[in-house]
Amino acid sequence: MSANREIENLIELMAKLPGLGPRSARRAVLHLIRKRALLLIPLADAMQEVAATARECLNCGNIATADICDICQDDRRATGELCVVEDVADLWAMERAGVFKGRYHVLGGTLSALDAVGPEDLRIPRLIDRIAAEQITEVILALNATVEGQTTAHYIADQLDGQVRLTSLAQGVPIGGELDYLDDGTIGAALRARREI
Amino acid sequence: MDWRDHGILLSMRRHGESAAIIDVFTEAHGRHAGVVRGGASRKVAPVLQPGAQLDLQWQARLEEHLGSYRVEPLRSRAAAALSGRLALAGLNAVTALLSFCLPEREPHPVFYRRSEQLMDLLGQDEIWPLAYLNWELALLEVLGFGLDLSRCAVTGTREDLAYVSPKSGRAVSGPAAGVWADRLLPLPPCLRGEGPAPDREIAEGLRTTGYFLAEKVAPALAHRPLPEARARFVDLFSRRL
């Protein structure tokens, strides 16, 4: 394989990343080559390291570099609260906010009739096991406010009914949101969930 | 080729990074799929929830192409259903059954209007199950498996109709059923549009329509199993009894 062919191969691979196309991948590769010491070599090292160590946490489904992730190993996070999310990206979003101090459980998807995803395809049995094993007192269903997300939430609620306190995220006006731009469904949900001030 | 219509969104799946392929039950064009450019974007994706009522403009170079849609939301039904367990299960059952049963691009304007009325009743848990049962009867009719509940298949009488024959889909009166009664399906009065339709009768009716969907419709559709969403709705409804 010629040097050019190797670079073309890198461009082709980069172009498959989300948000990148052939042109932007070419620009990114050119930038990396120009910043070889500063970016390309550290990036290649980091990717190699992650490729060798990244795996799913056996307990919660988070992505970690060990069998059990840092969150599950941290005793300070054993608050009795368990936040159920659809995907690792949702877990990372919750962690970015820095407001939740308990542990997580990543389902790995939602129930979907269209894609034939049933309860056995998600980490629901493991969730039920964890509730007993980790003395969970509250399960927070932080699933997307979509038909599939809420169908999954109701299913889990049915499975855990009576075992533990079940809560879900509120739905309504986002911070910085203007009523004029909200859809009627969100306004309705916000009005139903109104509270005294 | 282009047309404008309105319809009920049945499903949406991402196509590439920003587009989506939607499946819509339209009034004049039946169940019809198409690409929505930007359909997976943050702005448009929340609109493309199953059950949404959409204004649609479809365009393609040739009739047989998948084509692309321009969509505008008319009303969202998901928001009303998300918080209600039964309503959400009902919405899933209707959209899944329509996707499962209806052939593509075959218009059913009367059944479409019936489906739209049913969807508009979502959230009214007291009357919705009966409306849903009647809708399933209409669905069987559209698919060519309509039940004849007007008179007894054995004696021809219109009195004491209590069963449905699983073979012919015709009503059977109580006396005519005789020793075969336990092999027949229930025919509650609400299935014939009579009586106050208590939940127990609706559940019996769903058992009967469910039989024909599973044993007649599904085998005709390459033996695919009935969507799980229907069983979940029936299960949730049964818990109300």
Side-chain angles (χ1 to χ4, degrees):
Chain A
M1 189 183 274
S2 72
N4 275 349
R5 183 73 207 112
E6 284 155 3
I7 292 170
E8 284 298 326
N9 187 33
L10 178 61
I11 292 168
E12 275 174 28
L13 288 171
M14 293 277 281
K16 289 178 181 169
L17 295 177
L20 292 185
R23 275 170 170 266
S24 44
R26 194 169 288 274
R27 259 202 327 271
V29 168
L30 194 59
H31 185 75
L32 285 171
I33 291 169
R34 282 181 181 152
K35 306 259 180 183
R36 182 189 299 256
L38 198 65
L39 273 178
L40 183 59
I41 293 169
L43 181 67
D45 290 345
M47 288 176 83
Q48 201 163 19
E49 205 171 325
V50 170
T53 57
R55 71 197 87 164
E56 278 184 359
C57 171
L58 296 175
N59 196 38
C60 71
N62 187 13
I63 290 177
T65 52
D67 284 341
I68 303 296
C69 71
D70 290 347
I71 296 174
C72 289
Q73 283 186 26
D74 188 348
D75 288 337
R76 287 169 303 176
R77 303 199 67 146
T79 59
E81 290 176 342
L82 190 69
C83 182
V84 177
V85 292
E86 178 185 331
D87 194 64
V88 175
D90 300 329
L91 186 157
W92 289 355
M94 293 285 290
E95 281 296 281
R96 265 203 318 273
V99 289
F100 180 65
K101 302 298 178 197
R103 285 179 173 160
Y104 295 93
H105 189 81
V106 182
L107 290 177
T110 50
L111 299 176
S112 168
L114 186 68
D115 299 320
V117 179
E120 64 285 353
D121 300 310
L122 306 176
R123 284 194 200 86
I124 294 175
R126 177 73 193 132
L127 170 66
I128 294 167
D129 292 345
R130 285 186 71 187
I131 287 166
E134 297 179 30
Q135 287 96 46
I136 300 297
T137 53
E138 179 178 355
V139 170
I140 302 162
L141 298 169
L143 298 170
N144 294 334
T146 60
V147 168
E148 288 183 350
Q150 293 308 299
T151 301
T152 310
H154 286 310
Y155 178 83
I156 294 172
D158 284 346
Q159 300 298 306
L160 303 180
D161 194 24
Q163 294 180 40
V164 70
R165 182 175 181 234
L166 283 164
T167 53
S168 67
L169 296 186
Q171 290 163 10
V173 184
I175 303 294
E178 295 177 34
L179 290 181
D180 194 21
Y181 289 95
L182 291 183
D183 66 283
D184 47 358
T186 306
I187 291 176
L191 195 66
R192 284 192 293 275
R194 68 188 182 277
R195 60 184 180 191
E196 284 185 28
I197 52 171
Chain B
M1 298 298 307
D2 65 328
W3 48 255
R4 186 170 181 170
D5 202 350
H6 54 108
I8 303 163
L9 182 81
L10 302 180
S11 66
M12 180 273 244
R13 59 167 72 235
R14 288 177 78 103
H15 179 62
E17 269 184 49
S18 60
I21 294 179
I22 60 171
D23 193 17
V24 192
F25 184 29
T26 64
E27 179 163 19
H29 300 86
R31 187 164 76 84
H32 201 296
V35 177
V36 180
R37 312 257 173 241
S41 67
R42 274 188 215 172
K43 193 179 161 194
V44 184
V47 168
L48 300 180
Q49 289 294 305
Q53 188 73 25
L54 301 172
D55 181 78
L56 302 146
Q57 285 183 62
W58 182 79
Q59 204 171 24
R61 196 167 60 80
L62 295 172
E63 176 78 42
E64 59 268 29
H65 283 180
L66 178 63
S68 63
Y69 273 126
R70 282 178 64 188
V71 299
E72 214 169 289
L74 295 174
R75 52 188 186 278
S76 159
R77 296 189 178 97
L82 285 188
S83 54
R85 207 167 284 204
L86 192 68
L88 190 57
L91 186 149
N92 280 326
V94 173
T95 53
L97 274 179
L98 286 172
S99 286
F100 176 78
C101 296
L102 289 184
E104 280 195 88
R105 303 189 178 195
E106 193 180 294
H108 295 284
V110 177
F111 182 62
Y112 167 82
R113 285 192 287 278
R114 185 153 198 166
S115 302
E116 196 182 316
Q117 284 167 2
L118 176 76
M119 296 296 260
D120 286 338
L121 290 175
L122 268 172
Q124 300 184 42
D125 288 357
E126 289 310 307
I127 55 171
W128 204 84
L130 178 61
Y132 175 80
L133 174 64
N134 288 324
W135 176 84
E136 275 198 351
L137 273 180
L139 176 64
L140 286 171
E141 184 92 42
V142 162
L143 298 171
F145 296 99
L147 308 184
D148 178 5
L149 308 176
S150 59
R151 62 176 64 214
C152 176
V154 183
T155 62
T157 179
R158 293 177 189 274
E159 304 297 319
D160 294 329
L161 299 177
Y163 301 99
V164 180
S165 160
K167 250 186 177 173
S168 66
R170 296 180 65 190
V172 179
S173 65
V179 294
W180 303 101
D182 58 342
R183 295 194 184 181
L184 300 173
L185 297 163
L187 173 52
C190 69
L191 211 51
R192 301 183 66 226
E194 296 169 353
D199 285 351
R200 183 185 49 75
E201 279 188 14
I202 296 172
E204 281 182 348
L206 287 171
R207 200 185 122 206
T208 299
T209 52
Y211 174 86
F212 287 99
L213 285 169
E215 301 300 325
K216 304 287 181 185
V217 176
L221 297 169
H223 287 277
R224 286 183 294 153
L226 265 190
E228 192 61 33
R230 185 195 181 270
R232 181 160 162 70
F233 167 71
V234 173
D235 177 48
L236 272 177
F237 176 67
S238 304
R239 289 189 214 169
R240 202 165 92 166
L241 298 178

